[in-house]
Amino acid sequence: MNWIKNECFIRYESGKAVVVASIGMDTSADLPEVNDFEGRLLAMGSTAHDINTGDYYCLNSSGVWKKQKTAGDGGGLGTTHYTIQTAATRAMAVVGDLTVTEEE
């Protein structure tokens, strides 16, 4: 079983939304194909988290999932949840009830 935890829309292609997605899955056997989610195409940079082992995978430009090194392996991905930021979310931070906006 796999599911999209969050996604960031990039463009439309052949009537489908091309998205960079963060995917959860029970095991690596559940890694999706680029077009497995109805109405969507997964883009390079999409990530998948195997909740059974804690392993992370990243989709390359050829549509192949590559296992990533985690922080514990001396690599870059930590085992904590992260979100895909857009220009809008990078420009704003919320601190308590106070909203702080960056000036660009």
Side-chain angles (χ1 to χ4, degrees):
M1 175 183 204
N2 58 34
W3 61 96
I4 294 178
K5 296 189 292 185
N6 60 44
E7 63 185 15
C8 180
F9 173 80
I10 298 175
R11 67 181 178 282
Y12 282 105
E13 184 177 301
S14 303
K16 294 187 176 187
V18 177
V19 299
V20 173
S22 175
I23 298 165
M25 60 189 178
D26 287 328
T27 71
S28 61
D30 297 323
L31 281 166
E33 297 293 324
V34 172
N35 60 353
D36 273 359
F37 295 102
E38 187 175 337
R40 293 175 177 84
L41 295 172
L42 298 177
M44 175 180 72
S46 291
T47 58
H49 178 223
D50 180 336
I51 61 172
N52 218 18
T53 63
D55 292 335
Y56 280 90
Y57 297 83
C58 193
L59 190 65
N60 71 13
S61 62
S62 299
V64 177
W65 291 101
K66 298 292 184 174
K67 187 175 176 183
Q68 303 297 293
K69 292 183 178 179
T70 62
D73 296 333
L77 285 178
T79 55
T80 58
H81 178 72
Y82 63 94
T83 59
I84 299 168
Q85 291 188 334
T86 63
T89 59
R90 278 194 303 273
M92 187 177 5
V94 177
V95 181
D97 293 333
L98 173 67
T99 300
V100 180
T101 303
E102 290 180 12
E103 293 191 29
E104 295 187 32

